[in-house]
Amino acid sequence: MKTNAISSGQLVTLLFLSRIFNIFTYTPHSQTSVPGSVVLLAIPLAGIIMVALFFPAWHLIQKSKMGILEAAQTVHPFFGNLCAGIIGMVCLLMGAYTVSHFEFFMISTIYPQAESWIFVLLFLPVVAYAAYLGIEAVARMSVTVFIVVLGIILLVLVGLLPEINLVYVQSPFIGGWKMIVIGCIRQITNNMEILLFLLLVPTIRGNGKKAYIIWIILGAAMYEILSFFTLTSLGEYSATRLFPFYTAASVAKLSIFGRLDLLHIAVWVFVAFIRTTLYVYGAYLSFRILFPKVKKGWGIFLCAFLMTGVSMLNSLDMRYLSVYSRVLFNGVPFILVILLIPILTLLLGRKKWREKA
Amino acid sequence: MKKILLSLLTVMMLTGCMGNVYLNDRGIVQAVGIDYADGEYSLTMELFNVEESSADQGASGAKSKIIKSQGKSITEAIQKTALSEGKIMFFGNCKVIVLGEETAREGVSKALDYFNSTHETPPTILVLTARGKAEDILSTKEEEPIVPGKEILDMVEAAQKSGFSPQSRLMDIIGDIQEPNISGTLCLIEAQEEKEKPVLSLAGLAVFREDRMISTLPLEQCRGLQWIKGKIKATEIYIKEDRIGQITAVTSQTSSKKNANISGDHPEMVIKIKVKSTAVEVVLNSGSPLSKEDQKYVTKLQEQLIRSEVLELIQATQRKGLDVLGLAQHVKKSSPEFYLGHQNDWKNIVENANYQVEVTCEMDRMGVGNKLL
């Protein structure tokens, strides 16, 4: 693996774009949603917790002077393979979820008569090719997309200014602390990009810890701003819509642009592309540990192929996607790959690394 | 060579995933009216008539076509239209949805659910309530070249600017329906006979409890509501005083702040309205310009006028326990425990709430006339 391939700034833009995928197409579930005002408090609290949760993994990287996959491999080959397999699976499932969500959004809002498999089959080969080109190519693209995304978000927010009504910002404590805790947990468990950070941090030039904190702050700030504008411009209307931020973009009007939801869609396709590419690449990095003799092209092809299969299954019925997302974000995968694996690796490997040092 | 092939392949993929539909095969819906009777919906749709519109005529000469259909649901009625017309109905250009009076009384959620779910209809589409049947509203201009949907939209937008219509969009009424104790409002429209020709005019406000229309308010009270919401862009304030004369000012800036707190057992809402205006028509009894004291006096008269309109609206709605001012939202924000304890009895709370209205007016501009200097 090439080291020092991308800058810490590029890593921040990559993960930031991947992170905001969720807010662009967030779908509130009527039974399990947390009120908008609660989300506004949950976001910064979750950000603080995510900084704290990062420490075991960061400590592992500092002590071992390697990435998480390599560090697990040095503990014991079996343990390393097991960790690589789990991390690879999670990356595959996350990538498949991204593609399924992308397809779901497209057929809900733009192409209601289209077949869902078309989006899956068109999207994944392009993503696979991008992953094959390597992280450097995607990172360079992400900087341009980042600037465009910020510009478009700014346009949407300016267009929403006349719609803002602060009466919709209610006390987050109306439902008690339980809702705030649920909101925090949802914010944290949805942030599987921490796994991508752990996989990509060995490739960066610059300060990884600083990059992580900047990414968390940027991501939380963007979530907060978008949630605030969506809540205050749509109010209770957002509860009736499948994609509230997309709805807000279609409400936002700027004189020469008219409806801005078209810009939202354009930008979101790029964001979905970058996110899926990262997860394909992450899956490849993991499965390379298990199958070191497989060539890069075949490895990425297989990862994309598996992702296609899972996405196609999800696309058969939107209820499958709903169940799938509930399982993926129930906290177990998060705890497994972000906490358990790094802590176990740290505990089992620190003696070896001390001796080596 | 590889790059050229890849580029060609990519370009082939950019033809879109949806089958193309020619403009002539599309029914471009400009306005839709929904009436409900005997368990059936009657849809009246104004279609942009592509054949009758020519490049010479332009938009102002475009003709529209009125078509009607029935069905047990909105979707069924639309499907029947597609079958009879041989066109796929397209709602992306629809400017207005008119709900018949009966439909509004039965419940607008059922009628509007289709439009809230379809991706074509924008959330900002205008929704009006008709006095009588929606069919009568859309059929008034059937024989004329102009597009009624556009005319209705222009009329309502002008009224909104001057405060004689509330924001009456799909997202507004659906958002109000989601709040259990808020009374949503929609603009009320009617067709009146004038010289044996039907003429469209605004008739006031339709007020809803949950999703059913339960009351109407006259046009004059609309402005009272819009003062409170701070949504007036430019409206006239006419003052006539025996000693001074007549001064008509047009507002240049309107803002309002609302706060609710609990006083004893009742909520108290404080409404502060600030209005800046430009004196445009000044007819003074004396020949000399208005003194500073008289100018202050005129602004006091403006404040009284606005305050009386606001209080009239408050009294009319409070009597019926209608929360059109959003008292529930403000109380939930400032005193959530009080709201949670009384949310099931909100009609009673509204009837006994206190309202304090403070209006501050300033006539800070006078156009190019010098009668106020």
Side-chain angles (χ1 to χ4, degrees), chain B residues 34-42 71-72 100 102-104 106 110:
Chain B
I34 307 172
D35 293 302
Y36 183 77
D38 303 324
E40 229 184 28
Y41 287 99
S42 295
K72 291 189 188 58
E102 197 51 43
T103 316
E106 280 293 318
K110 288 178 277 191

Side-chain angles (χ1 to χ4, degrees), chain B residues 208-373:
Chain B
F208 292 77
R209 181 165 278 135
E210 290 178 5
D211 72 332
R212 289 168 192 257
M213 185 175 88
I214 54 161
S215 180
T216 59
L217 295 172
L219 194 64
E220 301 75 43
Q221 287 175 4
C222 277
R223 206 164 76 156
L225 179 63
Q226 295 302 89
W227 286 125
I228 296 169
K229 294 195 173 184
K231 294 280 183 192
I232 296 179
K233 289 219 163 68
T235 192
E236 55 81 25
I237 308 173
Y238 171 72
I239 301 293
K240 186 179 177 185
E241 209 272 345
D242 291 336
R243 182 175 59 85
I244 292 173
Q246 300 170 41
I247 296 177
T248 310
V250 174
T251 58
S252 54
Q253 219 177 67
T254 319
S255 64
S256 84
K257 263 193 189 150
K258 296 185 285 288
N259 281 312
N261 44 55
I262 308 301
S263 172
D265 280 335
H266 305 295
E268 185 179 75
M269 194 177 213
V270 179
I271 304 166
K272 291 182 183 172
I273 300 169
K274 277 192 183 152
V275 178
K276 285 188 180 174
S277 59
T278 306
V280 293
E281 213 176 313
V282 181
V283 179
L284 301 174
N285 288 343
S286 72
S288 44
L290 219 53
S291 66
K292 276 240 169 326
E293 289 73 29
D294 282 343
Q295 281 185 42
K296 278 189 186 158
Y297 180 60
V298 168
T299 55
K300 283 276 171 265
L301 291 176
Q302 285 183 331
E303 288 167 5
Q304 276 176 20
L305 175 69
I306 293 170
R307 194 162 180 277
S308 70
E309 288 183 7
V310 169
L311 287 174
E312 198 185 321
L313 181 272
I314 291 173
Q315 280 157 18
T317 53
Q318 194 176 15
R319 253 199 308 269
K320 299 173 187 174
L322 299 170
D323 186 3
V324 298
L325 306 187
L327 180 67
Q329 287 164 328
H330 285 92
V331 170
K332 213 187 338 178
K333 190 180 169 79
S334 61
S335 312
E337 308 81 23
F338 180 89
Y339 179 76
L340 289 172
H342 294 84
Q343 60 182 323
N344 295 327
D345 184 35
W346 201 250
K347 185 171 174 283
N348 199 22
I349 296 292
V350 170
E351 283 169 2
N352 293 298
N354 297 320
Y355 293 90
Q356 253 191 66
V357 181
E358 296 167 19
V359 183
T360 314
C361 285
E362 194 184 326
M363 215 160 42
D364 62 342
R365 300 175 202 184
M366 59 199 80
V368 293
N370 64 350
K371 289 185 184 170
L372 295 185
L373 275 175

